[in-house]
């Protein structure tokens, strides 16, 4: 199949149309929330707050910036491990995220911040928009190297929509707690992305196999992504938790889980190699699984040792997934998962949902205090007949809803993306920046240069 | 022209002299502001504040750190796109910024924080010093690869001085609002830098043309700079805004503008390439223009859709500038603008000034509330006869003052820098780290290969 | 010596055993501190605090995240300067830090946060754990390229233990002030690491000399580490200072010291090169010495000019150390200090201790105010007979205690690590990722090889 990969009209049109739509919709719907409105000073008095510091901005802005870094540098650079796909990894991630956050502000706004005909946005909306886009970045990981930027924009449009619907069902209808998004972001994003990749299966992808591997420096670039994801994950899981102890606890739990995860990922990586050598793929990815898996429970009373146990298990499961499951998915289920998102977001996401359900089901007023329990699970929302085990059941239901939405949505979006009109590359041209980017000329004959001249002594 | 590029005495002398001067001036003038003074605990009671959190530190420190990253990693790595100039880009930016922030603390301090013979510094001064240096980093972009570190130190010395005078005229005399520095930082910095580059025109620069292009990995390093600038720009534009709603609003507006800018930059980049391919230069630079252009108005009631429109326009204008204007400037106006700062800071800076003037002129007490309006525009400073249209006029005047200062100052500084005594490289040795840096040995027979092997055609 | 470097059982076993121990110990000992406990809302009322913002989380979390970045990206990437040791630098640093923070939470917890049989952890504990691991990262710098990950885990286990004992002696017994850890982190870490390196002396290390140097891009990766360390150092030195003015002042002082340090490091680097060229090693390292050297005194009334003077001196001393002292240590004292930690952490750490002692000895109630003085030096702890000069003496004693602990501990740990059973590499295989990592195949015979020429010999 030789598709036309010249995007000269398709990509500009897609970008401009979407952006014009955003301008119009923002014009009609989006306004500032009271904390970002110039009437704030009067508002402060009316709400009897003592100082400007009570502005939501000061509670959430530092966490927001950390999350922002995770989406753009974290996910962007994590995917630069491919030898000839760095521009696309960082650049397309940048593009889809920049569009996605706008569309997410609208979609999530209609569901959660809609008052008197307007969406009122503040810093928490910015964080949630970044979260929503995070699930698109996850899904992108499965299709990395095989889709065009036009396909990515379309996928983002649909996935953000579905994400918001799913999130509304979970958070507002099922009253599920999922501050760090184990279910809404990771489980949904991963299985959506895997389903899309399944529909977009490329039988002759082996023709691009020589580019589907890293070079030395590309793996170092990817570590920049890994580390920023790893370091800022405590901010991710605590960013939209309740003020005070919940944010504090979420950060501590995530910190613990991630630390444990590193050790077991390293252990398994070495144990599964016949010479005991470490594999960069595992270090780059499996070390993060602990953050995914405490996404739901981090703000609950998971306890530091509980977090360690979750991280411990996920480091093992995730590394095993990379070694055994990813090849199996490709060969038997025809799912080509470029980044192994099933191991980093899929399974750990489900584990996270289960851990959350169990932790919620174990809640009681002895552990949380009467007031703390009401606060932690928004009891007033349940009209009094709330019980921990009921919460646990709803939490568990959230996992299945997310999976169902991901699979159904993924099939629909996959079919749309399969149309041969979006400028996707042929099987033998995957994982190659030069299809969509102006690549430095001299690079083509750059790297091999030393070999050509037999006159020069080899490098020491 | 074969100049002596050995800086063995000139660079150490310049550094040591400047640093000794800083020590002496700091000793005479610089003290802590009350929020950083050990009498704070007593001060807290006297000012009837409720808690340590009311210390300015907690309002501004997270934003300060983000701005700090933008100056050192953002600008530093943005300029590493050249294949053989990474050490100099990051290293010289580091040097000039480290000197510049000290000198800016003094200059800005004398104008704005001078009390009883002392400059009282606090976290806001640190942010403003970083801002001031930001304008030097902008100007450095135009001369990148063509000036010596000694020249950069001299340029920094003068530019910081002129910046502070210009800032004083705008903020204190004209009572202009410019929290994100569209005028003071970007317009001033860009046109100052372009004027200097115009004076330092190198007619034979084509002799270094083979190094004035990226290699694959250098473009990825540059994306680190781009992304940190892009992600932290909301902090940049909100860092010194008033507490509460103004900081909050500035962050939201900047976030929106930047997102829109990415889509239109990508659209234009693809549309202007004959095969529809994207150009890294545009992705690295034009995506940031939206941040520049809301610098003045971000804290005002620009509205989210207004921000999107500004970003929309700037992504287009900036990309068009890279494709058409930069070559024109070089061939017809003899301005060699290495990084294309005219497209990223020059035009968007002026647009930002205009947007700010219009937004200010449209202000009224219906939108802002009576109290909010007084707060937003420091009305007390105007002794009662303030009006939005007057503010708009002063804002517009600020653009022209900044331009005039930049052009006059740029000519003077350019002439000083043109003296052939500062260790600048010859035209055929531009864009080359090895002139000023000890470069790894084996790398030398790597990159210098093109020259050595006359068998190969030079790289395009 | 041809040791067995296959870690297939040793590394997994070490990781899993240590991690299981952590889980058990956390289960027995670690709980949340009140600010992270669900009873917080009740606690808030009992303690008569006005708002959720009084939660310790909001005072310290932004600084914590900055410190976290310094440990993982800062130290990790700073060490990637070696041409073939990037995976190990970043990866092993990641591993040891992930283990170290857990063990440090326990060790420091037993000494400082132990209440009713439980260690109560909060954000300040997370920062202190990162600090403790910082000293291990420092020590790792001396042995970089010459030790196996198993050795690093063992070193971390012992060094964290010794660090905590030393910290307890200094902070709790001697009542020393050392918020930025000039003594506890840098002096202790550096001399411990140097002693270990001395014991592990490798007489035939010259056989790996060809890999003990950077390549062009590895030096740029290292600059990422340098800059994040440099930019976030104000957060490092202020992270655990008292609320309010002390945090504020520590940030300002560190900012000033670091700025001055850059200029003198550049000056010396150029002056000491026969052609006046700059050396990346100095820019990467000596520019940071100013941060180390104000670690103790940053929160005191060091004054901005005092900070500049400290930075001024340290930039010079540190660069001189790299040029003259490191070769001397290797040739005469048989200490092979890969990263030159003696110049970046050793000498500046001692200078920092001395500066702290002098600054403390000069304290008086005129400068600090009566209340401020009591606050700054926790006077109540001294039962009334406190005097500045006594404090100064104790501060000075802290230096010697740290040195003694480092030397004795270093010898013991060095001897343990010298056992030939930990999978260390032979002298001719040092500084080589391929010993412990699966390295990209095509990298061995360099990038474009697969496509191009089968005729050419592969590079060594």
């Amino acid at each position: 199949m030789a598709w036309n990969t010249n995007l000269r009209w398709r990509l500009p049109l897609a970008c401009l149309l979407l952006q014009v739509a955003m301008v119009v919709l923002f014009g009609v719907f989006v306004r500032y929330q009271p904390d970002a409105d110039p009437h704030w000073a009067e508002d402060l008095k009316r709400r009897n707050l003592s100082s400007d510091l009570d502005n939501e901005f000061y509670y959430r802005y530092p966490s927001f910036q950390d999350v922002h870094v995770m989406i753009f540098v974290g996910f962007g650079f994590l995917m630069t491990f491919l030898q000839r796909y760095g521009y696309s990894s960082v650049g397309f991630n940048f593009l889809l995220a920049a569009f996605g956050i706008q569309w997410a502000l609208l979609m999530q706004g209609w569901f959660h911040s809609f008052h008197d005909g307007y969406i009122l946005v503040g810093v928490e909306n910015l964080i949630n928009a970044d979260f929503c886009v995070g699930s698109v970045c996850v899904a992108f990981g499965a299709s990395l190297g095989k889709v065009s930027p036009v396909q990515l924009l379309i996928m983002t449009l649909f996935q953000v929509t579905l994400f918001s619907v799913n999130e509304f069902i979970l958070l507002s209808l099922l009253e599920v707690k999922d501050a760090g998004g184990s279910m809404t972001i990771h489980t949904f994003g991963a299985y959506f992305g895997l389903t899309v990749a399944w529909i977009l299966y490329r039988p002759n992808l082996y023709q691009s196999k020589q580019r589907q591997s890293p070079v030395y420096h590309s793996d170092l670039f990817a570590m920049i992504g890994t580390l920023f994801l790893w370091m800022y994950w405590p901010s991710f899981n605590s960013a939209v938790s309740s003020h005070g102890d919940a944010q504090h606890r979420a950060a501590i739990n995530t910190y613990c889980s991630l630390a444990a995860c590193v050790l077991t990922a390293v252990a398994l990586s070495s144990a599964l190699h016949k010479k005991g050598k470490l594999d960069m793929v595992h270090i780059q990815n499996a070390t993060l699984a602990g953050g995914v898996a405490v996404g739901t429970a981090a703000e609950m009373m998971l306890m530091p040792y509980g977090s360690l146990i979750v991280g411990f298990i996920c480091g093992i499961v995730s590394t095993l997934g990379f070694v055994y499951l990813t090849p199996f998915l490709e060969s038997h289920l025809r799912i080509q998962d470029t980044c192994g998102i099933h191991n980093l977001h899929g399974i750990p996401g489900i584990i996270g949902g289960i851990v959350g359900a169990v932790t919620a089901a174990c809640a009681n007023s002895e552990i949380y205090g009467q007031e703390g329990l009401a606060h932690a699970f928004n009891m007033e929302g349940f009209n009094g007949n709330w019980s921990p085990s009921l919460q646990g059941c709803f939490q568990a239901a959230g996992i299945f809803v997310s999976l169902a939405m991901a699979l159904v949505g993924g099939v629909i979006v996959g079919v749309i993306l399969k149309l041969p009109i979006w400028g996707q590359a042929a099987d033998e041209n995957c994982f190659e920046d030069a299809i969509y980017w102006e690549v430095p000329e001299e690079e083509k004959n750059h790297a091999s240069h030393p070999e050509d001249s037999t006159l020069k002594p080899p490098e020491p």
Side-chain angles (χ1 to χ4, degrees), chain A residues 382-435:
Chain A
F382 272 92
N383 305 316
N385 52 23
W386 180 90
S387 80
S389 53
L390 188 67
Q391 179 76 31
C393 292
F394 278 114
Q395 296 281 142
I399 305 172
F400 292 100
V401 173
S402 299
L403 280 172
M405 289 287 294
L407 297 177
V408 174
V411 168
I412 296 167
V413 174
V415 168
I416 294 169
L417 297 184
K418 212 174 167 66
L419 296 175
I421 57 174
W422 309 121
Q424 51 269 62
D427 288 2
E428 66 268 31
N429 289 328
C430 288
F431 314 117
E432 173 59 58
D433 274 337
I435 304 293

Side-chain angles (χ1 to χ4, degrees), chain A residues 324-337:
Chain A
Y324 298 113
L325 207 53
T326 300
F328 178 85
L329 289 183
E330 175 152 4
S331 57
H332 288 72
L333 298 184
R334 301 165 65 97
I335 299 174
Q336 293 156 328
D337 179 4

